[in-house]
Each structure stands twice: as C-alpha cells, then as structure tokens.
C-alpha cells in the first residue's frame, strides 16, 4: 500500500465495532509485525508514516465497544466544504517539563503555539499559518530563531467571515513580569486574509490581559479581561491608586467580563467578581453564559459554575453547578468550563478538575433549561440519580473526568459542528503508557518507550502514563466513532479547533429602559435590592410564629423580632506585590475572608422584607443581623452586583448545605411572603398612613409612600410601623459618632453625608485595640473621688500599679506592645484570637504554668556532683520524671463572627460580669469587625509594606 494513501483508505474503510481488550491487543500485535516487515530498509519517512497509521488503527479500535452493535454502519461523512481553524502547541516547555492546564490561571503563557487554517477537512487540503505574521519582526525571535508566542480562545463570527482569538507576543528577555506583553484580542478576516489587533493603540492594548473574545449580535465584542476598568475608578474614589485586584487565591489578577466595539473602543466592564469570569458565549436568546469562579471565602463550594448576564450588565444570574462539583463520581471534584451552546439548546462544557497534567477533559452536555443542579430541576424537584437521568450526559460514553488514563484515550478541547449530525471536532490522544523502569540492572529508573494501553498495564504499578499524542479528529457522538483530520506528532498538541462557517445570529437584547426614578438612581451610582423576607429559607418560613404574626407590631413587638437589620459588605481589592507588597500577617488570624469593607446598614421591615438602594457596579454580600448588630445568617459567600438603576429581587435566604434552588431567577421556590391581602388598607395594627397595594411587601409599601431607603453608616431604629395610637417602641441607634476612638469611616466627607463611594474600614490597631485603653473610670459627684475603674487595661495587664509583674485578669493581656509570637501583631490581638499558655507568677516572674500530663520520661539519676548513679550491676539507675506541659487558654474571640465569640461578647450582656463596661456603639463596632472575619487590616494600604 502506498503510504501516501493510508489516511485516505482509513477514512473510507475503518469504522470498527468495539472490541474487548484481547481483540485490541491481538490486532495491534499483528499490525506491529507487519510494520517490522514493511520498514526493513533505510526509508525512515515510510517508517514514520506507518507508525502514524498504527496509531490510527489503534485509536479506532479503542473507540469501539465489544458487542456495541455498531458493525455494518457506513462511513461517518467528513465536513469537506468549510475551512477549519486550529491551534498546535508544544507539549513541553523549553526545559522539557510538561505544560499543564489550570482553570485558575487564565493568564498562563505557554509559548510556541501557532494558529493554522486548513482549507477543508480533507486530509490533504492546504494549511496556512495565520498568526506568525503578526510577529514577523526578527526581534521577536529567540536565540534559537524560534517565534515563541501563544494563542487560544478561537471564535467565529456569525457570517463565518472572521475569526477572533487571544494572542500574546513572545516574552521580552530579562524584563519583569509586569513589563511582559499582555494577552490581546486579534481578528483574522478570512475573506481578505488580513490580521489585525482589535485594540490598535499599544498603550490601551497593554492596559490588561484580554482573552476569551466572542461577537455579540450587534457587532460588539465581549471578552474577559484584567482591565477591571470600572473597579479601578472606584479605587480612586476610595482614596487608593488604580490597580487590577488579585483573584481570591491571590495568584493573579482577576479576569472579569468587558465589552467593546469592533474597533476596540468604548470598553465597559460588565462583571465585578473578585475571582475569574471566563469563556463568555452568546446564547441564542442573546444572554451571555459564562463560567464564574465562585471563590469568596474559599469555602467548600469553591468552584467554576455557570452564570448568565445581559450585554448591558443587568440581570446577573446564577444558572448551574454550585452543588454539582461531585457529579462526576469517584471522588473527583469537577468544574464547568468553556460552555458552548448546541443546536438542541443544551450546553456543552468541559467537565474537568482545576488542574490537569495530561490536558484532558470530559466533554459533557448540560440541560440548563430544566435543571439548576445535576439532580435538581428548576422547580425544586430532587431526582434519585440511581433511577433517573440528571442534567448531565457525557458526550463520550464511558469517559471519566478524573484526568486519569483510560482505554478510551484522552479528549481535550472540542467544538460542536451544530449541523444536525451530533459531531464534534475534538483533540484526542490514544492511551499510552510506559514502563517506569525498563532496565532493572541499571541503577535508578530507566523509563521504557511508549506503549499502547491495555487494562492490565493501566492496573499495573510498573507502568506510568506516557506523553499523550493529541491529534485532530472528527467524533460522531451518535455512532461513537471518529476519524482523523490531522494526526498527532510527538511533542506537539492539537489544541482548539473550530469550523469556519456561517451560523444563525443570536437575538439582540437592547439595554434596559429605565424609568425616571431609575435614571435618577443610576445618576447617583445606585441600584436597588429587594428581599421579600429574610425569614424565607428555600420557601420555608423560619419565623417563630409565621410571617403574619411577625408583621403585626401588636402581636410581635419590634424588640422581639429576631432579625432587625441587614449589613451590605464588599470585598477589598488586593493589589499585587508590585503595587503594594504586604505580609500575610496583614490578614490576621485567617486569610479566608481576605479583607472586607462595609457599605452600610438598613432596617428589616416587620414582615422580614427589605428594599434599599446600594452602590452599583460594586460586588457585595448581605448579612442579616439581630438587634445588637450581630450576624445571625451564614456568611454570604457569593458576590452580587447591580447595574446603575437596576433592581434585584429575591425571595429570601439560603444555607450553604441546602440543595434547593437559590439565586437563579425564576427557579426559586415560591415566596412565603405573599404580601398585602387587599388594596388601599394598612397592614394589621400598623400606621394607617402606610396603606398597601395588594401583593406588596412592607418594604415596597414603605418605598412607595415614604421613599426608597438608603444605606446608613450607623444602625438606626425608629418604629415607623406601629400604629401611633398604640405606643410605638423606643428609637435607638449605634452611632460611630458616639465612639471615643478613631471612627472607621473612609473620609471626613462621609461622616456628614453617606454616599455610594463611602466605606466603613476597620483595622485592629486603629479601631479595635484603642477600645481597651479608653478611660472608663467612675468618679463621685466631686469628680475627684474614684469609685470604680472599668478601663479594660486596668485589669487585663501584666504589670501592676507599682510596675511589678502580675497575672492578667482572665489570663487576657490587652495592653500595648507587639506579641512575642508574631511581632507584626499586637499581643492583645493574639491573646483574643489565638490559643495561649496560662501564666503564673513565681518569685515575681511570669512563667507558663506547667502541669503533669500523666506521662513519664525515664532519665538517669545523678548525684550531687552530677555523676550518673550506678546500680550493683554497674548500670545507670533510671528514675521516672513526670512530663509537664503548659495549660492552654482558649481564645475568647473567633473569626467566624460575633455570635461565635460568645466567650467575649456574653460578658457585656445583661447579667454578664462586664455589663455596661462598653457602650452599645463600641460593642457594635467589635461585633461587625468579628463578623467580617476579625482581620488585622481591612485596607492593604494601611498595612505596612514589606
């Protein structure tokens, strides 16, 4: 057989029935014997071609199953009319180490990639290098004459005439990381064979990394970028320099969604996540589906989930995946990456771990129209997956998402043809292993050559995975067969591929038209949050007596309502070390919450509803508080956002362990708060001036009559609902102005007028520690005679009035000075939040108190001269010495919040040993600081620089 015709004959002849392992091994052995006969002689080219042919045969055998019933099927037709764009990249870096793929590192640079266009899918069609011309200048070549740029994220225009992608120029030798080239968006015009960078200005193009481009129906481009354009503007308002904030793992700048016109102008930031928003795809309905890294608080739900948003930045909506990261089984945690819409309306994703060494994924379809989790439908029905089909289906049957070797081989990037054939362009590698030690006679491991997999080899500890051979293939999911389009080469990976052809244009979603009131709000940089009831947990009423009783101020007095206020909090952007290099100690006891600021407070109406204006284009979370300002809800570990003038409505709250639908609009359980029963009548026993419309929550009624509430820096309560004829409850407030210490308000202007740019920023040294030394002495009427001294450091000190050592009260030292355990922290901070050793005074010196553990050590007995005492046999005499250990003193505060810090907070409650020692404003300050995470600093620019 002429080697030049091998691939052609394979395409027309080889669609094998799935064989069992023995048949595969037998076929391969026969092929190897034939190869040895054919390749006798000096023709190395022939040798290489037949080796590739063997890979093709083996690949087809692996993709067929024993008894699958596929025999006799005709050939899978190849797409021959449209051109194909694909990327080839080296498998290893310049040091010979394998390039890996990590979802959490989208800016990763893997030099050596090249974008090609193949005129058609036929094996011998013409292939063109598209991207190398962008860097034709010899200065881009390295010492070996190589052009080491990188390219990824292919996207075809609706009319099939243009190709978008991200490309990064070669590295600049000896330049710092911040001075290296950025990822840019490029466009190739297929009809004109022209290539251009979308953002023409060098200065503008290098303002951030730009990746994952896609065309919107109106011709604009949506992409993911570290520009953080609007977020940087807010930093200036906060008195900070402009910089791109790091993701919540602090590994790199966060990528979020932006839009721009087709000339790279009018760039607008759409999302404000503090970790990555990646791979936007425009759905047929015009909405933008993307993969979001939910990593707030680095909780157990840390993962990439699917979200959607409108092109104008409104309607951010969770869609799928928060509780489905274990959906692949076998203990593998998977994430939902690179979504693509299929013609069926299903969404195809790469199901994969965060990091993957062999570059493999599990191509999977998800029914997001009917499901919000793998086992939860949008109506809240929870399925038994042992008998019912969930949301997800593997495109390649039998493949797993663990990234481990499989007889089915490994699949990388894939692209749906969407031509009615259920076919995909795929990057695929045959399964290959090698002996870990091929020569037991030689010291050390001598790896063997690559071999095709058998199950026995995969199960053997003597074998390890060999380098994959990713080629370009056409996979038919209906027939479970595939044919080669371009075979793999050793050390080279076929990465992404797309068919360049026209497709239907998605619907266009115009910007939301705002009312006059909404325009006014937008002008102030505000949006609106409306919660129907904080007592609503997944459609369940958690109030003690029901919402109707809770909402009636005569049946439930305000002071008896468990939930009284909400606090709106935001994450703090953390700069890279080149902007502000801070030590890990700046976060304090725990780095999990990083740094947090408070945007303000609002009251909860009697029925549990809230409607309040909040800053737009700012990520935020909501905490529900009791009357003392302590968080009673779990931490909200997903960032919300509002576009200017937008209103976000939700039914209520959610627990982290709940499997119910939450956060996806239109898929939540019905609200427990049905609102007012009639029109024009006040709620029972409330102020007649607050008359309701049918279905309104109390918050909606209040807003309609008295205006929209705005956030305040202080917790304030006025009984505005109780009928004035029925003795309303007393007003109260916890005001920062009542503090005797430095106010934690971001600027002097914000103390007099609270605006959308105002922040509450609490640092331990500046705002919490000074509370311990506030003068709390109580004098007689003569202002001279000292009656009592409640100053914290009067008792919680290790020095008495005569400057002699003493044991601090309750083993708690709140005085000034750095800790001996961590010099970057005050000792009071460490004593409040870390385990400590109990102290005792021995001969005027403070030492750790030691107690016997019950264990003993055997030691040699010595006489008065220090010599070892021997027994009659001349052996050392051993005596038992008790093992002593210090006594641990538990911390009285917890980073989990004020209610978890009851050892401290309870001392100041009614009947507590320290009742009235601290003011209500001071206790509220401590409570909110604890609820944020008890950080040492909540502003990186207040923390000392390294």
């Amino acid at each position: 057989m002429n080697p030049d015709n091998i691939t052609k004959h394979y395409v027309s002849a080889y669609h094998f029935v799935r064989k069992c392992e023995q048949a595969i091994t037998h076929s391969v052995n026969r092929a190897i014997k034939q190869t040895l006969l054919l390749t006798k002689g000096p023709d190395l080219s022939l040798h290489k071609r037949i080796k590739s042919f063997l890979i093709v045969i083996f690949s087809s055998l692996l993709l067929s199953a024993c008894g699958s019933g596929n025999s006799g099927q005709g050939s899978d037709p190849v797409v021959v009319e449209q051109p194909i764009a694909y990327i080839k990249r080296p498998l290893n870096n310049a040091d010979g180490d394998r390039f890996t793929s990590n979802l959490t590192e989208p800016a990763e640079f893997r030099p050596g990639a090249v974008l090609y266009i193949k005129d058609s899918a036929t094996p011998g069609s013409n292939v063109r290098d598209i991207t190398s011309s962008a860097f034709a200048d010899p200065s881009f070549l390295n010492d070996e004459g190589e052009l080491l740029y990188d390219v990824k994220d292919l996207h075809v225009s609706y009319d099939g005439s243009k190709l978008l992608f991200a490309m990064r120029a070669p590295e600049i030798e000896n330049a710092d990381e911040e001075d290296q080239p950025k990822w840019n968006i490029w466009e190739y015009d297929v009809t004109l064979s022209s290539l251009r960078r979308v953002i023409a200005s060098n200065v503008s193009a290098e303002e951030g990394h730009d990746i994952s481009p896609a065309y919107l129906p109106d011709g604009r481009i949506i992409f993911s970028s570290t520009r953080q354009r609007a977020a940087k503007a807010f930093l200036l308002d906060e008195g900070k320099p402009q910089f791109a904030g790091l993701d919540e793992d602090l590994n790199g700048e966060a990528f979020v969604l932006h839009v721009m016109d087709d000339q790279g102008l009018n760039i607008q930031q759409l999302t404000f996540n503090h970790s990555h928003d990646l791979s936007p795809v425009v759905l047929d309905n015009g909405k933008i589906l993307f993969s979001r890294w939910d990593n707030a608080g680095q909780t157990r739900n840390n993962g990439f989930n699917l979200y959607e948003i409108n092109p104008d930045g409104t309607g951010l909506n969770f869609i799928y995946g928060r509780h489905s990261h274990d959906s692949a089984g076998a203990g593998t945690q998977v994430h939902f990456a690179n979504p693509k819409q299929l013609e069926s309306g299903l969404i195809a994703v790469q199901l994969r771990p965060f990091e993957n060494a062999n570059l493999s994924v599990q191509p999977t379809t998800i029914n997001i129209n009917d499901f919000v989790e793998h086992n939860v439908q949008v109506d809240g029905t929870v399925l038994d997956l042992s008998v019912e089909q969930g949301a997800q289906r593997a495109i390649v049957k039998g493949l797993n998402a663990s990234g481990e070797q499989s007889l089915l081989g490994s699949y990388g990037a894939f692209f749906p043809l969407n031509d009615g054939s259920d076919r995909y362009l795929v990057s695929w590698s045959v399964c290959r292993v090698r002996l870990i030690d091929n020569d037991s006679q030689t010291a050390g491991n001598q790896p063997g050559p690559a071999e095709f997999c058998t199950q026995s080899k995969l199960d053997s500890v003597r074998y390890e995975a060999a380098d994959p051979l990713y080629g370009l293939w056409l996979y038919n999911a209906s027939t479970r067969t595939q044919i080669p389009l371009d075979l793999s080469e050793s050390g080279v990976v076929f990465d992404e591929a797309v068919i360049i052809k026209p497709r239907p244009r998605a619907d266009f979603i115009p910007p939301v038209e705002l009312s006059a009131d909404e325009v006014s709000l937008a002008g102030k940089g505000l949006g609106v949050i409306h919660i129907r009831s904080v007592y609503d947990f997944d459609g369940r009423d958690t109030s003690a007596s029901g919402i109707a009783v809770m909402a009636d101020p005569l049946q439930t007095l305000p002071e008896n309502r468990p939930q009284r206020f909400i606090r709106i909090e935001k994450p703090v952007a953390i700069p890279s070390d080149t902007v502000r290099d801070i030590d890990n100690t700046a976060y304090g006891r725990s780095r999990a919450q990083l740094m947090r600021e408070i945007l303000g407070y609002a009251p909860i109406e009697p029925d549990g509803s809230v409607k309040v204006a909040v800053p737009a284009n700012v990520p935020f979370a909501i905490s529900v508080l009791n009357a003392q300002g302590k968080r009673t809800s779990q931490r909200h570990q997903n960032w919300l956002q509002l576009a200017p003038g937008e209103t976000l409505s939700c039914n209520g709250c959610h627990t982290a362990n709940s499997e119910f639908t939450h956060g996806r609009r239109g898929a939540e359980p019905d609200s427990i708060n049905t609102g007012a029963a009639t029109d024009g009548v006040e709620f029972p026993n409330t102020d007649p001036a607050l008359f309701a419309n049918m279905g309104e929550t109390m918050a909606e009624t209040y807003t309609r009559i008295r205006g929209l509430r705005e956030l305040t820096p202080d917790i304030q309560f006025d009984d505005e609902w109780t009928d004035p004829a029925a003795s309303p409850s007393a007003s109260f407030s916890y005001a920062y102005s009542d503090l005797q210490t430095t106010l934690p308000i971001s600027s002097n202007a914000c103390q007099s007028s609270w605006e959308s740019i105002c922040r509450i920023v609490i640092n331990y040294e500046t705002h919490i520690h000074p509370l311990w030394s506030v003068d709390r002495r109580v004098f007689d009427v003569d202002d001279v005679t000292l009656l009592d001294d409640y100053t914290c450091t009067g008792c919680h000190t290790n020095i008495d009035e005569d400057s002699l050592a003493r044991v601090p009260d309750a083993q708690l030292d709140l005085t000034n000075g750095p800790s001996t355990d961590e010099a970057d922290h005050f000792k009071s901070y460490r004593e409040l939040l870390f385990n400590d050793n109990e102290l005792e005074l021995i001969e005027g010196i403070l030492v750790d108190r030691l107690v016997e553990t019950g264990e003993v050590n055997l030691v040699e007995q010595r006489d008065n001269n220090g010599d070892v005492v021997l027994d009659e046999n001349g052996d050392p005499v051993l005596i038992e010495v008790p093992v002593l250990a210090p006594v641990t003193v538990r911390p009285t505060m917890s980073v989990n919040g004020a209610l978890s810090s009851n050892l401290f907070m309870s001392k100041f409650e009614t009947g507590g040993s320290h009742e009235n020692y601290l003011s209500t404003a001071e206790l509220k300050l401590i409570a909110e600081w604890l609820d944020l995470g008890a950080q040492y600093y909540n502003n990186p620019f207040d923390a000392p620089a390294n």
Side-chain angles (χ1 to χ4, degrees), residues 785-803:
T785 305
L786 181 64
L787 300 178
D788 282 301
D789 186 357
Y790 300 126
T791 304
C792 301
T793 52
C795 299
H796 297 287
T797 176
N798 59 3
I799 301 292
D800 64 16
E801 295 177 351
D802 299 321
S803 299

Side-chain angles (χ1 to χ4, degrees), residues 623-928:
S623 288
V624 178
L625 315 175
N626 63 16
Q628 292 76 45
K630 299 175 183 176
R631 176 173 49 81
T632 60
S633 58
Q634 292 183 351
R635 279 199 175 108
H636 195 185
Q637 301 287 27
N638 300 96
W639 301 121
L640 305 173
Q641 70 174 62
L642 293 169
E646 181 184 11
T647 294
L648 170 64
S649 297
C650 61
N651 287 345
C653 302
H654 185 70
T655 60
N657 296 325
S658 172
E659 293 293 332
F660 282 93
T661 302
H662 182 79
R664 178 167 169 176
R665 301 178 191 181
E668 296 176 309
D670 291 338
S671 172
I672 63 168
N673 189 3
T674 56
T678 57
D679 275 331
V681 178
E682 70 272 17
F683 292 92
N685 298 312
T686 63
D687 185 345
L690 294 169
F691 58 91
N693 290 334
M694 184 179 292
E696 280 185 340
T697 64
M698 284 180 152
E700 290 176 303
T701 297
Y702 184 95
T703 300
R704 178 173 49 80
I705 295 175
R706 295 185 176 168
L708 180 65
R709 293 191 188 273
E710 296 190 4
L711 295 176
T712 60
D714 302 322
I715 286 181
Q716 300 172 345
F717 172 74
D718 295 296
D719 190 356
E720 300 177 86
W721 282 100
T722 301
D723 189 335
S727 301
S729 296
S731 299
F732 66 85
S733 69
Y734 310 133
Y736 289 119
S737 59
D738 293 336
L739 296 172
Q740 301 178 59
T741 51
T742 303
L743 306 190
I745 293 178
S746 55
S747 70
N748 292 332
C750 289
Q751 295 181 29
S752 57
S753 178
W754 197 251
E755 306 290 343
S756 63
I757 62 173
C758 294
R759 307 286 185 263
I760 297 163
V761 183
I762 307 174
N763 298 326
Y764 179 79
E765 285 189 18
T766 307
H767 305 107
I768 302 299
H769 179 77
L771 297 175
W772 316 140
S773 56
V774 168
D775 187 350
R776 304 181 194 278
R777 293 176 296 175
V778 179
F779 293 93
D780 204 347
V781 292
D782 61 4
D783 290 334
V784 176
T785 305
L786 181 64
L787 300 178
D788 282 301
D789 186 357
Y790 300 126
T791 304
C792 301
T793 52
C795 299
H796 297 287
T797 176
N798 59 3
I799 301 292
D800 64 16
E801 295 177 351
D802 299 321
S803 299
L804 299 177
R806 67 183 293 269
V807 176
D809 281 16
Q811 296 286 328
L812 179 62
D813 185 357
L814 296 177
T815 54
N816 292 328
S819 168
T820 56
D821 296 326
E822 174 51 69
D824 288 344
H825 291 162
F826 276 14
K827 60 183 175 182
S828 60
Y829 181 84
R830 306 287 297 192
E831 298 240 332
L832 288 165
L833 285 154
F834 290 79
N835 285 336
D836 195 14
N837 292 338
E838 184 178 327
L839 299 175
E840 62 179 347
L841 196 63
I842 298 179
E843 297 181 356
I845 300 175
L846 281 175
V847 296
D848 289 346
R849 178 174 168 246
L850 302 176
V851 297
E852 295 184 10
T853 65
E855 299 177 353
V856 296
N857 285 330
L858 295 176
V859 299
E860 296 174 339
Q861 183 178 358
R862 294 181 180 271
D863 59 22
N864 292 335
N865 295 323
D867 297 325
V868 176
V869 177
L870 304 177
D871 61 16
E872 62 275 13
N873 297 321
D875 296 323
V877 175
L878 301 179
I879 59 174
E880 292 183 350
V881 176
V883 175
L884 302 178
V887 178
T888 299
V889 178
R890 292 175 54 200
T892 57
M893 289 182 172
S894 169
V895 296
N896 292 324
L899 289 181
S900 297
S901 303
N902 196 48
L903 285 174
F904 181 90
M905 302 299 292
S906 63
K907 300 289 192 298
F908 304 92
E909 296 174 356
T910 302
S913 60
H914 289 43
E915 182 181 356
N916 296 324
Y917 283 21
L918 297 181
S919 70
T920 54
E922 290 172 328
L923 289 171
K924 176 256 188 180
L925 174 65
I926 295 171
E928 63 190 354

Side-chain angles (χ1 to χ4, degrees), residues 4 32 156 228 263 350 362 456 556 645 661 678 762 764 776 810 819 896 907:
D4 292 335
I32 291 173
V156 181
Q228 302 177 27
Q263 297 303 309
Q350 296 179 4
Q362 183 187 45
S456 60
T556 305
T661 302
T678 57
I762 307 174
Y764 179 79
R776 304 181 194 278
S819 168
N896 292 324
K907 300 289 192 298

Side-chain angles (χ1 to χ4, degrees), residues 388-405:
E388 298 175 280
Q389 174 65 48
Q392 298 169 201
R393 293 176 184 264
I395 293 174
V396 181
K397 307 299 182 185
L399 194 68
N400 64 59
S402 67
E404 297 178 354
Q405 290 280 83

Side-chain angles (χ1 to χ4, degrees), residues 33 338 342 558 688 699 713 872:
K33 290 179 182 178
N338 296 99
L342 305 181
E872 62 275 13

